[in-house]
């Protein structure tokens, strides 16, 4: 259809811009990645593992502390542990865990151990100490524990000599029971 006469519309065909001169089409928006719960799950798992490791470390420390703490729960127990550490294991550091810090006199027991060591050196024998039942008796400032120590020696697996001595130990309650005094009776 033709435009009406006298119209201002040009009869020139419309010109189109060549495609190479057109502005490039707008890039398509990047596809939205669906939210993956992987990061959330990993974060939660890492948090739980860290919490379990922390709790496990604390529980491990407490159990280790209880297992390695010296047993000073009763007078006879502390005397038994002290005699084992001092006369059998001959471990002064361990024995100190069972003794009073400042007061007390354990020189008689130190003398007994020195005698045992001297006999071993002089006679080339093995000297051992053992003890019988531990008897508790309450006293004014704590308790006393009595026992019979057996000092025996052997060489090449053959018994050489043996003697028995009655001993009394004074024990007091200070942050657990502690041996403060040891003396030979009779």
């Amino acid at each position: 259809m033709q435009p009406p006469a006298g119209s201002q519309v040009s009869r020139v065909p419309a010109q189109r811009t060549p495609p190479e001169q057109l502005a490039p089409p707008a890039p398509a928006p990047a596809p939205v990645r669906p939210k993956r719960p992987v990061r959330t799950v990993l974060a939660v798992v890492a948090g739980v593992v860290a919490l379990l490791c922390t709790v496990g470390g604390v529980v491990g420390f407490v159990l280790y502390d209880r297992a390695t703490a010296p047993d000073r729960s009763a007078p006879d127990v502390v005397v038994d542990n002290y005699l084992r550490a001092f006369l059998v294991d001959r471990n002064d550091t361990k024995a100190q865990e069972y003794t009073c810090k400042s007061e007390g006199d354990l020189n008689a027991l130190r003398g007994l151990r020195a005698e045992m060591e001297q006999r071993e050196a002089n006679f080339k024998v093995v000297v051992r100490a053992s003890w019988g039942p531990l008897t508790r008796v309450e006293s004014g400032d704590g308790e006393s524990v009595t026992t019979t120590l057996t000092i025996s020696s052997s060489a090449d697996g053959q018994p050489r000599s043996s003697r028995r001595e009655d001993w009394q130990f004074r024990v007091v309650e200070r942050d657990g029971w502690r041996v403060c005094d040891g003396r030979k009776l009779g």
Side-chain angles (χ1 to χ4, degrees), residues 41-57:
V41 169
L42 287 177
V44 168
V45 168
V48 169
V49 167
L51 180 66
L52 288 175
C53 287
T54 302
V55 169

Side-chain angles (χ1 to χ4, degrees), residues 139-157:
S139 60
D141 62 342
E143 289 195 24
S144 65
V145 176
T146 58
T147 189
T148 301
L149 292 179
T150 303
I151 314 303
S152 59
S153 65
S154 63
D156 301 322

Side-chain angles (χ1 to χ4, degrees), residues 3 34-35 40 45-46 53 57 66 76 88 97 100 107 116 121 135 138 172:
K35 289 188 176 184
T40 305
V45 168
C53 287
R66 286 184 183 169
D76 52 347
V88 175
E97 294 177 357
C100 295
N107 288 330
M116 291 169 57
T135 307
E138 289 188 33
V172 296

Side-chain angles (χ1 to χ4, degrees), residues 5 15 30-31 36 46 87 106 108 137 145 158 165 169:
Q15 297 199 358
R36 295 182 184 173
L87 293 178
L106 295 168
V137 177
V145 176
Q158 299 296 318
E165 300 176 354
F169 300 92

Side-chain angles (χ1 to χ4, degrees), residues 42-98:
L42 287 177
V44 168
V45 168
V48 169
V49 167
L51 180 66
L52 288 175
C53 287
T54 302
V55 169
V58 169
V59 168
F61 174 78
V62 169
L63 291 177
Y64 175 79
D65 185 52
R66 286 184 183 169
T68 59
D71 185 4
R72 295 187 296 251
S73 58
D76 52 347
V77 171
V78 78
V79 169
D80 183 69
N81 288 335
Y82 173 72
L83 290 173
R84 186 172 325 287
F86 192 72
L87 293 178
V88 175
D89 300 336
R90 299 182 187 179
N91 184 339
D92 291 335
T93 304
K94 186 74 172 166
Q96 285 178 348
E97 294 177 357
Y98 302 105

